[in-house]
Amino acid sequence: ETNTLPFHPFENQQGDILRVEKEHQVLQEQLKEAEEKFEQLQSRSLEEIGVLEELLKKSLEEIKVSQNELDWFHQDSEAQVKKWQQEKKEARDNLKALRSSVKKHTDTQERYLKTIDDKEKQYNVYLNTFLDTSNKFANEKVKLEELIKKSQDDSQECEKRAVKAEVSVLQNWKESEVWKLSGTIAKAETNLKMLRALSSSASAAAPVLKSQIDAWETFISNVKKQLEKVEAEYEEKIQLVQSGARISLSKVETVDIPSP
């Protein structure tokens, strides 16, 4: 019966102390494992804390840099906002001016369109009037061209008749002068012939007759020159008239040569 009954007050039933010892041993082992795990976790946590501290330090530095950049960005943003507000104000003023200009141009365009419409109506009226007048003028032009052609034909015919008449007048004047001078030459030559005949038969009067003969020969020579001059000048005038030149009809001036 030894050790077969529960050991009071530590056991309620037999084996409680052994069971407690076993549980204590298990708990000791679990505590040891927990301590080892705690040490491992503590070591790993210290490493992680060091890494985190480094990251925190780096992050703080980056935050400081970022804060500076943020300050710069804020300053730049404020400057940009002020600039944008100024540009917005200028744009608003420009828009207001443009709207005023657009309204002004629109009013001007409407006025011009109305003026163009009025001018177009007036142009159509003028165009119709012009076409009517042009047709009338065209008909009158045809008639005038016919009259001008007829007048030109008549004028050419008149000019031909006038040329013939002028040539005829000049020919008559020429023939008249030539006939007169030729008659004078013929009479002078008759007198010269008579004087030569007398000179050959009357030797006593030879010196006097000789001077008379010389005078008549000179007279005949001058008259012949006058005749050639008259013929040449009349021929020149006749050619000018026949070529269509406008000349004043007048007789050729002659010199009255006194006979001996």
Side-chain angles (χ1 to χ4, degrees), residues 52-240:
L52 290 174
E53 285 178 349
E54 289 294 329
L55 289 174
L56 179 61
K57 182 179 179 182
K58 186 176 180 181
S59 297
L60 289 174
E61 292 177 353
E62 291 177 352
I63 288 171
K64 184 177 180 182
V65 172
S66 299
Q67 184 66 37
N68 293 331
E69 292 179 351
L70 182 61
D71 293 337
W72 295 340
F73 176 75
H74 284 163
Q75 293 176 359
D76 186 63
S77 297
E78 289 177 357
Q80 291 292 334
V81 167
K82 290 180 180 179
K83 182 179 178 181
W84 177 79
Q85 288 177 347
Q86 181 64 27
E87 291 178 351
K88 181 179 179 182
K89 182 177 180 298
E90 292 177 356
R92 190 182 297 112
D93 295 338
N94 290 333
L95 180 61
K96 185 178 179 181
L98 285 175
R99 284 177 178 172
S100 177
S101 178
V102 167
K103 185 177 184 303
K104 181 179 178 181
H105 288 309
T106 303
D107 295 339
T108 304
Q109 183 181 12
E110 290 178 356
R111 188 169 64 254
Y112 283 163
L113 288 174
K114 185 177 183 302
T115 303
I116 290 171
D117 187 52
D118 295 338
K119 293 293 184 183
E120 186 175 1
K121 291 178 181 179
Q122 188 177 6
Y123 167 77
N124 290 328
V125 174
Y126 287 159
L127 179 62
N128 294 329
T129 305
F130 169 76
L131 292 176
D132 294 338
T133 307
S134 178
N135 292 331
K136 292 179 182 178
F137 282 160
N139 295 330
E140 291 180 1
K141 181 182 177 183
V142 172
K143 293 179 181 178
L144 288 173
E145 286 176 349
E146 292 176 354
L147 290 174
I148 289 171
K149 186 176 183 304
K150 185 176 181 303
S151 298
Q152 288 177 345
D153 295 339
D154 293 342
S155 176
Q156 290 177 359
E157 186 64 27
C158 290
E159 286 181 359
K160 290 179 181 178
R161 289 201 301 269
V163 168
K164 287 181 180 180
E166 290 178 355
V167 170
S168 177
V169 169
L170 292 172
Q171 286 284 3
N172 289 332
W173 287 346
K174 174 188 172 185
E175 290 174 359
S176 176
E177 289 293 330
V178 168
W179 177 82
K180 184 174 69 173
L181 293 174
S182 296
T184 301
I185 292 170
K187 290 178 181 180
E189 287 178 345
T190 300
N191 293 333
L192 182 60
K193 187 176 180 182
M194 290 174 59
L195 290 172
R196 284 175 179 172
L198 289 173
S199 175
S200 61
S201 62
S203 57
V208 177
L209 293 174
K210 178 69 171 64
S211 64
Q212 290 293 321
I213 289 170
D214 291 341
W216 279 104
E217 286 178 351
T218 302
F219 174 75
I220 291 171
S221 175
N222 290 333
V223 174
K224 283 183 178 180
K225 290 179 181 178
Q226 184 77 14
L227 177 60
E228 291 175 359
K229 175 177 176 295
V230 167
E231 286 182 338
E233 291 188 7
Y234 272 115
E235 283 298 325
E236 183 181 359
K237 287 190 175 186
I238 289 170
Q239 289 178 4
L240 287 174

Side-chain angles (χ1 to χ4, degrees), residues 20-32:
V20 169
E21 286 180 352
K22 288 180 180 179
E23 290 178 354
H24 178 70
Q25 186 178 0
V26 170
L27 289 173
Q28 286 289 338
E29 291 177 356
Q30 289 179 351
L31 177 62
K32 185 178 180 180

